[in-house]
Amino acid sequence: MPKPSIAPNPAARSARAAVLNFGLLILLLATVVVSMMLGQVSASPAEVMGAILNKVGIDWLPLPEHPKALDTLWSIRFPRIAVAALVGAALALAGLLMQAIFGNPLAEPGVVGVSSGAALGAGIAIVFGITFWGGWTTALMAFAGGLIATLTVYFLSRGGGKTEVVTLVLTGIAVNAICGAGIALMMFIGDTSSREQIVFWQLGSMAGSGWAEVWVILPVLVVGALCSLLVARKLDLLSLGERNARHLGVNVELLRLSVIIVVALVVGVSVAFTGIIAFVGLVIPHIMRGILGPAHGPLLLSSMLGGALLLTLADVAARTLVPMADLPIGMITSLIGGPFFFWLLRRTRQSAGGWG
């Protein structure tokens, strides 16, 4: 990954970030409203807003005419949209952080095996009925699986003080293969219900998401975002090279381990409820970095908004492309991210003068 330089005009960079964030927020809100309108029970924009205002005791706008529409919106559609936005933001944040600590543009939770490690951890909890921490147990096991996978990739892909592109990709392939074997074993020894849940993880889907998932993912994402904001400046220094960062007072190994824990936390919680959704953390940070530059402070919010927008759009497509069917959202993001990953891999190889 080429060593970026911090843009010389902070005021211009801040203005560009503000405009971008405002545009992303407007697009996200518009997508959320459209997503609320679409489905087996349709609703107009006024009815959607009426359903929202009715919840807080304001009856200014009309409610949906269908007798079950209000319950459908609040119990199924609204929480699903919220989970899609939160998971998209979490995966984009995780991708940005992984690219920063690995110093590698190809680092992404799905590519290097973090998502599959988290899915394996969640699968173990379900198959063996592990419930030592109540409703949080599955998320905790997913976090543990993601953390182990991330640490494995980190330590095995480093050599000579750097992380090589080919080593990172191959290590990720190996971790994905091992976790895939573990998931297959869980499917073999599990009952029918467990197998269905594991298949759900492998495909990735927002189906069945409720408010309980929202209230688990939201605080974890907030904590992860705040921790990322606190280390954003150190990540900027790390992008100048490990030696320079150390001379400037950065404890590089402590920084990396801390960020790895944050990544495993946000990815683990997301995967526990929605399954493996690849490439969001690869595509979005690169687009935002191309617009705003390499400084991580402005990139944090932009990447999270971009990730939320992408996954909300993908969820709309999953619900509407095929009538009366719910497509796997992981398939849709892979169709977008796969070609992007191929292009990025070739560009990285050319810029590095080989596979180094």
Side-chain angles (χ1 to χ4, degrees), residues 9-292:
N9 193 337
R13 187 171 65 243
S14 298
R16 191 184 308 119
V19 172
L20 176 62
N21 291 337
F22 180 75
L24 289 172
L25 181 60
I26 294 299
L27 289 174
L28 177 60
L29 292 175
T31 304
V32 166
V33 172
V34 171
S35 183
M36 290 177 177
M37 294 166 52
L38 300 176
Q40 296 183 22
V41 178
S42 60
S44 67
E47 290 172 342
V48 168
M49 296 306 300
I52 295 174
L53 294 176
N54 177 262
K55 200 68 174 179
V56 295
I58 301 175
D59 297 322
W60 293 348
L61 296 173
L63 295 177
E65 295 181 0
H66 195 284
K68 295 184 178 180
L70 192 60
D71 289 338
T72 299
L73 289 175
W74 273 106
S75 62
I76 299 176
R77 196 171 300 172
F78 288 176
R80 173 172 177 152
I81 295 169
V83 168
L86 291 173
V87 170
L91 294 177
L93 175 65
L96 176 66
L97 294 176
M98 291 190 71
Q99 290 166 19
I101 61 171
F102 281 107
N104 195 302
L106 302 178
E108 191 267 344
V111 173
V112 299
V114 184
S115 295
S116 58
L120 176 58
I124 292 173
I126 292 295
V127 170
F128 292 102
I130 302 174
T131 58
F132 61 87
W133 206 13
W136 286 76
T137 304
T138 301
L140 182 64
M141 290 290 290
F143 161 70
L147 179 61
I148 293 172
T150 313
L151 290 173
T152 300
V153 171
Y154 172 66
F155 286 114
L156 294 182
S157 62
R158 288 185 60 77
K162 65 178 182 178
T163 306
E164 297 179 347
V165 173
V166 65
T167 309
L168 177 72
V169 174
L170 293 177
T171 304
I173 292 173
V175 170
N176 274 317
I178 294 171
C179 292
I183 292 172
L185 177 61
M186 293 301 104
M187 294 180 67
F188 178 76
I189 64 177
D191 55 21
T192 302
S193 176
S194 300
R195 293 192 191 100
E196 290 177 353
Q197 293 186 57
I198 292 174
V199 170
F200 157 81
W201 281 320
Q202 289 179 308
L203 297 176
S205 175
M206 299 296 162
S209 299
W211 290 113
E213 286 80 7
V214 172
W215 303 126
V216 173
I217 299 172
L218 179 59
V220 172
L221 177 60
V222 170
V223 171
L226 291 176
C227 293
S228 303
L229 187 61
L230 291 175
V231 300
R233 183 58 184 169
K234 293 181 179 180
L235 294 177
D236 290 342
L237 297 177
L238 182 60
S239 68
L240 301 176
E242 289 190 24
R243 181 175 299 179
N244 291 333
R246 289 192 177 96
H247 285 321
L248 293 170
V250 178
N251 187 331
V252 174
E253 294 306 318
L254 178 61
L255 174 64
R256 281 202 171 104
L257 291 176
S258 301
V259 172
I260 283 173
I261 292 174
V262 172
V263 168
L265 182 63
V266 296
V267 173
V269 170
S270 300
V271 169
F273 298 122
T274 64
I276 299 175
I277 301 175
F279 294 114
V280 176
L282 178 72
V283 174
I284 295 299
H286 276 281
I287 294 175
M288 299 305 149
R289 191 179 292 112
I291 298 172
L292 297 179

